[in-house]
Amino acid sequence: MRIRVDGIVQGVGFRPFVFGLAQSLSLAGSIVNDLRGVAIEVEGIVSHIAEFRARVVSEAPPLASIQNVISESIPIANRSVFEILASHADGERDVLVSPDIATCADCLREIFDPMDRRYRYPFTNCTNCGPRFTVVRGVPYDRSLTTMAEFPLCADCAREYHDPSNRRFHAEPLCCPACGPSVRLLDRNGIAQADDPIRKAAELLSSGKVVAVKGLGGYHLAALASNENAVKLLRSRKHREDKPFAVMAPNLESARALATIDALEERALTSPRRPVVLLNRRPDSDLAHSVAPSNRFIGVMLPYTPLHHLLCESVKAPIVFTSGNVSDEPIAYTDDDAAKRLSPIADYFLIHNRQIHIRTDDSVVRVSRGREVPQRRSRGYAPQPVELPLKARRPILACGAELKNTFCVAKRQHAFVSHHIGDLENFETLRSFREGIDHFRRLFDVNPAIVAFDLHPEYLSTKYALDLKGVEFVGVQHHHAHIAACLADNGEQGPSIGVAFDGLGFGLDGTIWGGEFLIADLAKFERVGHLEAVPMPGGTAAIKQPWRMAGSYLRKAYSESENVPAHLEVAERNAHQWPQISALMKSRVNSPLTSSAGRLFDAVAAILSVRDAINYEGQAAIELEQLAAVGEDDAYEVAVPAAIPFELHGAALVRGVVDDLRAGSSVDVVAARFHNSIALMIVNACDTIRTARGLAQVALSGGVFQNQLLLERTVRLLEQAGFRVLTHRQVPTNDAGISFGQVAVAAARDCAARCQGGGLVQWEPF
């Protein structure tokens, strides 16, 4: 029998597993890596072959992800042994590449065993763990096509590599102290320190120093998490004023001292992917205040490389582990770049000489409604594909949005969503975006025939897309992409009611959308409702200064004769500029209209004195959510029209907030009632759409739905009202999921064009 197995079957111990299985069943034949996956040929007793075929799937290594198995009978070749053949590199590349995998228990035991030859060796790995995506230069997955090619195997490692009974059989990053990479500790001037690098780095961290640590996908900046002075120093040097830092806990017990952890959160923390998990922070933890100021959540991860385990074992305390960059820049991943950009921040550098081929940030997840939901999908997840509900007829490149950018390449049923790129606001990030696209195109052999992009003409991702030659272009409206991403993430094609709430997206009418109710399938959409548009006084300044949006909504909510806004604290705090923004709105100069739900949250945050200005995206809304009183069920009335299309008056909610505040309600109660009101408004609006169109499925997407309080209350109320609710599963609900949505839209339009015998449809309403 010839058996073709496609999926993530290279770099996960699949060949030695198959080898052992064939031997146990007395089967002869061969297995080979090729550009699609693995090809197996077996011969022997018929019943043994049938058992072999079944067990290849049912007992596959835990890190394997089998997508497809095809088998056929072939003539007997009278072979006497089963062997692993040299990889094939001919033909079209269609193999899947494994993400980076956290150190397994077997390797960890060796690292801390004084009698083992890999005792305290920081690059120990096997077929079940270690670097994959970050070191792969090409496929098939062989050592010669990784950054480990420059480290020839010593005799001992070579024996392990060629021994089918050894768990390091064909482990491509295999190495040991005699033949593999090594670690050094340098000061910021590049001078090597003589002591044991890892133990010395631990001493420096314990004494309050900031250390840059080279990891799997780039550099981290580390400081002792309990040392307020060290964390404040890191925050100051990194120019990161308030955004929370992630913390690496030495072990699960240490993590429990930082945050409450339920069974699902523990599973996420200890999984081979090892993401940062957002947890409820313990008020009695000894974390420095500056780790996560004004935030009741803390991002916690466990060590995921031998180097991290050794460092944490020496420090014996939680360590801040934040991206090795200056705020808003991509992480440093080459040694020269790190020395240049991180020297003003780090006192010392713990580095190694294994090259990182592609930079990859840590992934961030949270547990919501009984499952793990990605907030940032990167290390440990990328480049594992997400399945499309409708196969791409031709190869597609989707360039994503501007903020939290990812790109996506698609080929048949596979959508390869990139690692986290970041905000395309500077040259370094744009270069990382371009390099990443080139790497994915080579790795997955995608020569795009179709390029999808956001309609915003000033997005750098859009400009990149439109500069490409010899392709067909598909412009995808931002909020349609959000809903398409949610549909495709759930294996759905629609049509569905779509609620897309976010900060901003370029609308078809030239205004800035962000509080949208759509009827959408993958190919098309119709805008059937939205929040009423209000001015953004000062344009983008209103995003960074929420008090401006407070002024805009207050002007809409109250007449001049009522004179309510002037007596509010937000107006008094900003009295020197209040007349100026009023004049801007009246003149409509530099005050674009927006229906953004994110800007409505900003306005209420400023009115409740949560925050007048932000230091990172979404800060005001995040702090407003955390302020909300637990257990409060009241809400403000917001009229929802009985027919479509409709407008919803956010100003009515603002009036409810202000009147409640003036009546003496506490700000935490008002914050909770505002969240309840938004959830109730969404349900009533969806009910109006259901009555008009007969749809009972709702897809929720957009960055505003990262708000767990809003998401959980909205889902609960929708389900109580008889709706089927779709939320994101594998890709983030924020703009990091846009590229996946763009691919889904482009694939659906291309299929529709083929069926209809016409060209690609750019946009078409229901």
Side-chain angles (χ1 to χ4, degrees):
M1 180 178 286
R2 177 180 291 122
I3 304 170
R4 150 68 53 191
V5 185
D6 299 333
I8 298 180
V9 290
Q10 295 187 17
V12 293
F14 199 82
R15 287 179 297 175
F17 154 70
V18 170
F19 182 94
L21 180 60
Q23 285 198 323
S24 71
L25 295 171
S26 301
L27 298 176
S30 63
I31 181 171
V32 62
N33 275 354
D34 60 21
L35 294 176
R36 288 179 54 194
V38 298
I40 306 167
E41 291 186 0
V42 286
E43 58 183 82
I45 297 172
V46 172
S47 61
H48 289 189
I49 291 177
E51 181 181 348
F52 175 86
R53 166 68 173 76
R55 290 173 66 185
V56 160
V57 177
S58 65
E59 298 178 10
L63 301 181
S65 177
I66 295 176
Q67 304 285 334
N68 194 34
V69 180
I70 300 173
S71 55
E72 60 177 337
S73 295
I74 58 173
I76 292 174
N78 293 316
R79 286 170 285 199
S80 60
V81 297
F82 191 91
E83 55 187 337
I84 295 178
L85 302 179
S87 300
H88 290 172
D90 299 325
E92 180 188 6
R93 292 188 296 277
D94 202 22
V95 71
L96 303 184
V97 176
S98 168
D100 299 292
I101 303 300
T103 307
C104 70
D106 289 332
C107 285
L108 204 55
R109 277 192 292 272
E110 291 178 343
I111 294 165
F112 289 107
D113 179 1
M115 303 305 294
D116 194 278
R117 73 187 189 92
R118 291 187 174 89
Y119 176 56
R120 295 189 62 82
Y121 184 56
F123 303 97
T124 303
N125 66 85
C126 69
T127 53
N128 296 318
C129 68
R132 299 292 192 273
F133 174 57
T134 51
V135 299
V136 170
R137 289 192 170 114
V139 294
Y141 178 64
D142 286 327
R143 189 180 184 92
S144 61
L145 292 175
T146 74
T147 61
M148 288 299 295
E150 63 186 271
F151 299 99
L153 293 174
C154 66
D156 288 334
C157 286
R159 276 193 293 272
E160 292 173 328
Y161 184 85
H162 292 104
D163 179 2
S165 66
N166 194 289
R167 79 171 197 278
R168 293 191 167 92
F169 183 47
H170 282 263
E172 306 306 345
L174 171 61
C175 58
C176 74
C179 64
S182 58
V183 175
R184 292 190 300 157
L185 181 68
L186 311 177
D187 67 15
R188 60 167 44 149
N189 297 313
I191 299 173
Q193 307 300 292
D195 298 295
D196 178 310
I198 296 174
R199 286 195 169 109
K200 181 61 177 178
E203 291 176 13
L204 292 166
L205 287 168
S206 299
S207 69
K209 300 297 184 183
V210 174
V211 179
V213 181
K214 186 178 181 182
L216 263 182
Y219 277 79
H220 286 96
L221 291 164
L224 193 66
S226 60
N227 188 323
E228 177 67 19
N229 290 334
V231 179
K232 283 178 69 174
L233 182 65
L234 172 57
R235 197 171 280 287
S236 171
R237 290 176 178 177
K238 188 175 160 70
H239 304 301
R240 184 164 162 172
E241 296 181 49
D242 299 306
K243 193 173 183 179
F245 286 143
V247 173
M248 183 175 283
N251 49 48
L252 193 58
E253 181 183 1
S254 176
R256 291 190 188 283
L258 303 178
T260 57
I261 302 172
D262 65 23
L264 289 175
E265 290 165 338
E266 178 180 335
R267 189 168 70 184
L269 272 173
T270 58
S271 77
R273 301 179 186 273
R274 284 293 200 280
V276 176
V277 183
L278 297 181
L279 303 168
N280 282 294
R281 179 177 178 173
R282 287 190 180 277
D284 58 345
S285 75
D286 64 354
L287 287 176
H289 169 77
S290 294
V291 170
S294 304
N295 202 309
R296 70 167 182 257
F297 297 103
I298 183 71
V300 179
M301 59 180 155
L302 297 180
Y304 55 86
T305 73
L307 178 61
H308 295 144
H309 280 284
L310 291 165
L311 186 63
C312 286
E313 186 270 340
S314 295
V315 175
K316 294 181 173 58
I319 307 168
V320 164
F321 247 68
T322 187
S323 299
N325 60 1
V326 180
S327 187
D328 298 328
E329 291 182 355
I331 61 168
Y333 75 108
T334 67
D335 299 334
D336 288 344
D337 185 42
K340 178 181 176 182
R341 289 200 285 139
L342 303 185
S343 290
I345 305 174
D347 299 302
Y348 291 88
F349 289 74
L350 185 61
I351 72 169
H352 58 75
N353 58 337
R354 184 179 68 202
Q355 290 184 53
I356 299 169
H357 187 64
I358 194 83
R359 72 179 104 211
T360 311
D361 278 281
D362 293 317
S363 294
V364 181
V365 307
R366 76 188 313 159
V367 172
S368 175
R369 301 175 58 241
R371 67 170 184 256
E372 180 185 310
V373 180
Q375 309 290 296
R376 184 168 77 190
R377 184 181 182 273
S378 202
R379 178 191 49 76
Y381 296 80
Q384 187 165 342
V386 182
E387 297 295 297
L388 289 166
L390 196 63
K391 286 186 179 181
R393 187 168 69 92
R394 294 181 288 170
I396 301 168
L397 164 65
C399 295
E402 186 88 341
L403 301 180
K404 296 181 172 64
N405 176 270
T406 62
F407 60 84
C408 183
V409 296
K411 192 176 184 181
R412 292 183 280 277
Q413 78 272 25
H414 292 143
F416 300 95
V417 183
S418 77
H419 50 294
H420 171 75
I421 302 297
D423 298 347
L424 297 183
E425 295 180 331
N426 57 61
F427 173 75
E428 285 296 328
T429 312
L430 180 61
R431 184 169 67 178
S432 178
F433 168 79
R434 291 174 179 271
E435 290 172 349
I437 289 176
D438 290 343
H439 183 53
F440 269 57
R441 287 182 58 174
R442 288 192 304 270
L443 202 58
F444 301 113
D445 204 10
V446 173
N447 185 27
I450 301 169
V451 174
F453 57 89
D454 193 276
L455 296 180
H456 198 301
E458 294 305 313
Y459 279 3
L460 295 180
S461 56
T462 297
K463 292 180 177 181
Y464 169 87
L466 294 175
D467 279 343
L468 297 176
K469 308 297 182 186
V471 297
E472 293 186 54
F473 295 115
V474 176
V476 183
Q477 199 280 326
H478 191 88
H479 300 95
H480 183 205
H482 269 309
I483 300 305
C486 185
L487 290 171
D489 201 359
N490 287 273
E492 300 280 347
Q493 297 184 40
S496 175
I497 299 170
V499 183
F501 276 20
D502 65 1
L504 61 89
F506 194 80
L508 298 177
D509 59 0
T511 65
I512 299 170
W513 292 3
E516 310 308 309
F517 293 84
L518 312 177
I519 294 176
D521 63 16
L522 295 183
K524 54 190 182 296
F525 78 97
E526 179 182 356
R527 190 191 196 201
V528 293
H530 57 87
L531 290 174
E532 182 183 19
V534 299
M536 285 175 58
T540 55
I543 298 173
K544 297 183 178 181
Q545 298 176 10
W547 70 269
R548 291 173 179 262
M549 291 308 305
S552 182
Y553 268 104
L554 288 167
R555 183 171 178 268
K556 177 74 73 172
Y558 294 95
S559 66
E560 289 188 20
S561 61
E562 288 177 284
N563 199 31
V564 170
H567 299 290
L568 295 175
E569 288 184 11
V570 64
E572 293 172 356
R573 288 194 304 271
N574 298 281
H576 61 295
Q577 294 186 76
W578 201 263
Q580 176 189 344
I581 67 158
S582 296
L584 278 176
M585 289 185 288
K586 285 180 182 178
S587 66
R588 295 292 175 89
V589 173
N590 195 22
S591 296
L593 295 175
T594 183
S595 59
S596 167
R599 302 290 79 80
L600 174 58
F601 273 79
D602 284 352
V604 172
I607 290 167
L608 295 183
S609 299
V610 173
R611 183 162 289 277
D612 284 351
I614 63 170
N615 295 313
Y616 62 90
E617 187 198 11
Q619 183 179 9
I622 290 169
E623 293 178 1
L624 179 66
E625 175 194 359
Q626 297 189 27
L627 177 68
V630 177
E632 176 60 43
D633 294 323
D634 284 350
Y636 309 119
E637 288 188 16
V638 178
V640 176
I644 60 173
F646 56 77
E647 283 189 343
L648 302 175
H649 298 290
L653 277 179
V654 168
R655 187 170 185 121
V657 164
V658 172
D659 291 350
D660 199 8
L661 194 63
R662 295 174 75 201
S665 295
S666 62
V667 291
D668 60 333
V669 168
V670 175
R673 289 173 179 170
F674 170 71
H675 281 82
N676 296 341
S677 304
I678 294 287
L680 188 61
M681 179 186 72
I682 290 170
V683 175
N684 291 339
C686 289
D687 193 50
T688 292
I689 300 169
R690 177 169 57 183
T691 301
R693 294 292 179 85
L695 295 171
Q697 177 175 278
V698 180
L700 303 177
S701 191
V704 168
F705 287 112
Q706 289 184 132
N707 182 317
Q708 292 302 293
L709 175 61
L710 175 66
L711 178 67
E712 290 174 4
R713 294 191 180 189
T714 301
V715 171
R716 187 183 75 240
L717 291 175
L718 282 168
E719 290 178 341
Q720 288 174 356
F723 288 97
R724 178 177 181 238
V725 186
L726 305 179
T727 58
H728 284 259
R729 293 172 175 269
Q730 301 170 85
V731 299
T733 189
N734 58 38
D735 278 9
I738 286 288
S739 64
F740 178 62
Q742 291 171 344
V743 155
V745 170
R749 290 183 185 171
D750 195 32
C751 287
R754 182 184 186 187
C755 293
Q756 297 165 7
L760 273 169
V761 176
Q762 291 299 305
W763 176 77
E764 180 180 295
F766 277 86

